[in-house]
């Protein structure tokens, strides 16, 4: 959020950051040493503490587990949502209502009871608001990360955009980063890729699909319709290539190699992307520790086609399978590369003592800075 505020070029100072996660706070302090951090739960802060901060804007990302497809889906009955409900209870009683509020959460929040409570509170406090479901792919970034966003502005302030009761699925102003025709074309594949990130996937740089029924399996459990979908994304020249986000000189790639056991078990469902591809699936906090549904892996052997490796793959012995898979030179994206896809600036870094697992967990719980920066501008202008 802090980096997004900076990128938005809005004249603002962060007066406080609140988080209970000690590792996240260490990383935050490392990058923003002059910002006051409250290492506590929100409900541990009193009304007096909030009023003394005298803030004009709230940027928040409440816990997502109560709303995720693979989570508990307990909504407001989940204890982890207490801090968010506390904010809603406290907001109307503040000495000075903040002029602006931005909230981020996972897809699914838009149909929750928590969302309804948020809307009711905003309307009671006389805020104008707009809801969105947006992915970085709309800005030409080759990473699917569909998220719910809400921006709110205290009346009589008005937005520079025409608001709608609908949840918008693209930015209301189309800038030069992606033409309207490209967005229209890409939106046909956005939903499937973002909402089914652990689905069966294939090389987005595969050869032209041969004639056949859409449900015919080509290789790697991949059906013709899946390959067509990935090719559609790869042919969109408004999307950047994966290679634009990779580390130029990776001194020691060994920590990022995928274990033999994982390769054998998950080979057919790995989301494999090449350096010239223009897509990758959402990275989760389990990336690097788990394989299935946690994010794309990188094929560094640019001269090897997936089709040749997975031809008659299931008929091979384990040793033969490993020999074939080794040709692809698969590895995880590094934390720096994931951060690049999320829009973190070059100056962002982790303290050395933060482990690889912890870095992936934090990035998996993060958001795309470019998307949030654009929303902050829309909210304030």
């Amino acid at each position: 959020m802090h980096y997004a505020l900076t990128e938005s070029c809005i004249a603002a100072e962060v007066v406080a950051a609140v988080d209970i996660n000690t590792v996240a706070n260490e990383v935050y302090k490392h990058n923003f040493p002059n910002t006051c951090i409250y290492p506590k739960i929100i409900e541990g802060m009193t009304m007096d503490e909030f009023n003394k901060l005298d803030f004009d804007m709230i940027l928040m990302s409440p816990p997502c587990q109560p709303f995720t497809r693979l989570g508990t889906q307990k909504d407001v009955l989940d204890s982890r949502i207490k801090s968010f409900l506390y904010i809603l209870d406290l907001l109307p009683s503040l000495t000075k209502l903040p002029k602006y509020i931005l909230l981020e959460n996972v897809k699914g929040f838009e149909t929750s009871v928590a969302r309804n409570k948020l809307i009711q509170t905003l309307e009671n406090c006389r805020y104008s608001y707009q809801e969105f479901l947006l992915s970085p792919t709309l800005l030409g970034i080759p990473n699917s990360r569909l998220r719910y966003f809400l921006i709110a502005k205290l009346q009589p302030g008005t937005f520079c955009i025409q608001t709608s009761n609908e949840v918008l699925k693209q930015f209301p102003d189309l800038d030069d980063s992606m033409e309207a025709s490209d967005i229209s074309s890409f939106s046909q594949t956005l939903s499937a890729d973002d909402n089914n990130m652990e689905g069966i996937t294939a090389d987005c740089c595969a050869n032209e699909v041969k004639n056949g029924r859409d449900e015919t399996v080509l290789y790697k459990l991949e059906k013709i319709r899946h390959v067509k979908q990935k090719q559609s994304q790869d042919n969109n020249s408004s999307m950047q290539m994966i290679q634009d986000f990779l580390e130029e000189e990776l001194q020691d790639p060994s920590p990022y190699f995928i274990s033999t056991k994982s390769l054998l078990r998950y080979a057919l469902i790995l989301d494999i992307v090449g350096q010239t591809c223009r897509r990758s699936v959402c990275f989760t906090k389990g990336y690097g520790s788990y394989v299935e549904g946690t994010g794309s892996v990188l094929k560094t052997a640019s001269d090897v086609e997936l089709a040749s490796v997975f031809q008659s793959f299931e008929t091979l012995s384990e040793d033969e399978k490993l020999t074939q898979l080794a040709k692809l030179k698969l590895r995880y994206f590094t934390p720096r590369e994931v951060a690049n896809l999320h829009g973190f600036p070059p100056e962002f870094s982790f303290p050395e003592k933060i482990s690889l697992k912890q870095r992936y967990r934090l990035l998996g719980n993060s958001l795309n800075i470019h998307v949030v920066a654009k929303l902050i501008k829309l909210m304030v202008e």
Side-chain angles (χ1 to χ4, degrees):
M1 290 291 192
H2 198 141
Y3 277 124
L5 182 64
T6 302
E7 185 177 306
S8 73
C9 296
I10 300 299
E13 174 192 359
V14 179
V15 295
V18 186
D19 203 311
I20 192 62
N21 187 316
T22 56
V23 179
N25 286 337
E26 284 186 57
V27 177
Y28 189 94
K29 194 67 176 178
H30 177 74
N31 289 278
F32 302 104
N34 298 320
T35 300
C36 177
I37 298 177
Y38 287 76
K40 59 169 69 176
I41 54 176
I42 289 284
E43 56 267 41
M45 295 183 65
T46 65
M47 176 70 75
D48 187 52
E49 285 180 295
F50 276 104
N51 284 327
K52 285 181 178 178
L53 288 173
D54 192 35
F55 51 89
D56 298 300
M57 181 186 297
I58 300 177
L59 306 175
M60 59 177 164
S61 184
C64 65
Q65 293 91 340
F67 315 106
T68 58
R69 281 188 309 114
L70 302 179
T72 61
Q73 295 186 334
K74 289 183 177 180
D75 206 327
V76 293
L77 298 179
D78 194 307
S79 61
R80 288 168 291 193
I81 204 66
K82 283 184 178 179
S83 57
F84 173 67
L85 298 178
Y86 179 73
I87 288 287
L88 297 187
D89 288 339
L90 176 142
L91 185 66
S93 302
L94 290 173
T95 302
K96 183 186 77 175
L97 287 175
K99 296 179 182 178
Y100 311 102
I101 297 173
L102 183 148
L103 178 141
E104 178 267 354
N105 214 283
V106 294
K107 174 176 167 53
F109 183 88
E110 74 279 8
T111 59
S112 67
V113 175
R115 175 265 178 195
N116 294 340
K117 288 181 176 292
L118 168 63
I119 297 301
Q120 187 63 58
T121 300
L122 292 175
E123 291 178 346
N124 291 343
C125 294
R126 297 184 56 78
Y127 280 91
S128 301
Y129 60 88
Q130 180 61 60
E131 298 172 278
F132 301 87
L133 278 172
L134 301 171
S135 174
T137 48
L138 294 172
L139 297 179
I141 300 166
N143 180 241
S144 300
R145 196 174 185 83
L146 189 63
R147 290 294 183 268
Y148 170 89
F149 295 95
L150 176 142
I151 56 175
K153 195 171 196 174
L154 187 63
Q155 298 176 16
T158 57
F159 289 115
C160 63
I161 59 172
Q162 181 66 44
T163 58
S164 167
N165 291 329
E166 299 295 319
V167 179
L168 301 183
K169 296 183 179 179
Q170 65 181 46
F171 290 100
D173 60 322
L174 303 178
D175 58 23
D176 294 336
S177 63
M178 183 175 279
E179 297 296 332
S181 59
D182 291 324
I183 288 183
S184 177
S185 173
F186 183 77
S187 65
Q188 298 175 19
T189 61
L190 174 63
S191 178
D193 194 46
D194 275 312
N195 297 333
N196 191 30
M197 66 181 181
E198 72 262 38
I200 303 164
T201 54
D203 186 0
C204 65
C205 303
N207 293 328
E208 184 176 354
V209 179
K210 298 179 180 179
N211 292 330
R213 297 173 59 189
D214 280 355
E215 295 303 310
T216 300
V217 175
L218 298 178
Y219 61 88
K220 198 178 172 288
L221 302 183
E222 185 69 15
K223 297 177 181 178
I224 289 178
R225 60 185 172 88
H226 295 134
V227 175
K228 286 181 178 179
Q229 184 183 83
K230 308 311 178 188
Q231 286 180 331
S232 175
Q233 292 172 284
D234 188 54
N235 291 333
N236 188 343
S237 59
S238 293
M239 299 289 291
Q240 294 176 265
M241 290 185 179
I242 290 294
Q243 64 188 14
D244 298 330
F245 300 84
L246 302 179
E247 293 192 59
E248 291 185 5
E249 294 183 9
L250 188 57
Q251 300 295 332
D252 180 17
S254 59
Y256 311 108
F257 291 146
I258 303 170
S259 70
T260 298
K261 181 179 179 181
S262 293
L263 281 176
L264 286 174
R265 183 174 180 180
Y266 298 106
L268 295 178
I269 59 173
L270 282 173
D271 185 68
I272 302 172
V273 297
Q275 298 180 49
T276 57
C277 291
R278 301 178 189 271
R279 55 161 290 273
S280 60
V281 296
C282 182
F283 296 101
T284 74
K285 66 179 183 179
Y287 192 68
S289 298
Y290 302 97
V291 176
E292 184 176 3
T294 61
S296 300
V297 297
L298 183 66
K299 175 173 72 72
T300 59
S302 58
D303 58 338
V304 180
E305 293 290 339
L306 283 186
S308 65
V309 170
F310 285 97
Q311 190 69 38
S312 304
F313 187 77
E314 293 187 74
T315 65
L316 304 178
S317 67
E318 286 194 356
D319 287 342
E320 290 172 329
K321 287 179 179 179
L322 287 174
T323 299
Q324 287 293 91
L325 292 170
K327 296 177 182 179
L328 298 172
K329 299 181 180 178
L330 299 176
R331 68 166 175 84
Y332 291 109
F333 284 78
T334 70
R336 179 67 256 182
E337 291 165 347
V338 177
N340 291 342
L341 285 163
H342 284 346
F344 282 81
E347 60 268 24
F348 167 77
S349 64
F350 290 98
E352 288 188 11
K353 67 177 182 178
I354 304 300
S355 70
L356 184 61
K357 182 177 181 178
Q358 289 173 322
R359 297 180 189 203
Y360 281 133
R361 286 184 67 85
L362 291 175
L363 290 167
N365 284 326
S366 188
L367 40 73
N368 189 279
I369 288 168
H370 300 316
V371 172
V372 178
K374 191 171 180 66
L375 288 173
I376 291 175
K377 290 179 68 175
L378 284 174
M379 178 173 65
V380 175
E381 287 180 349

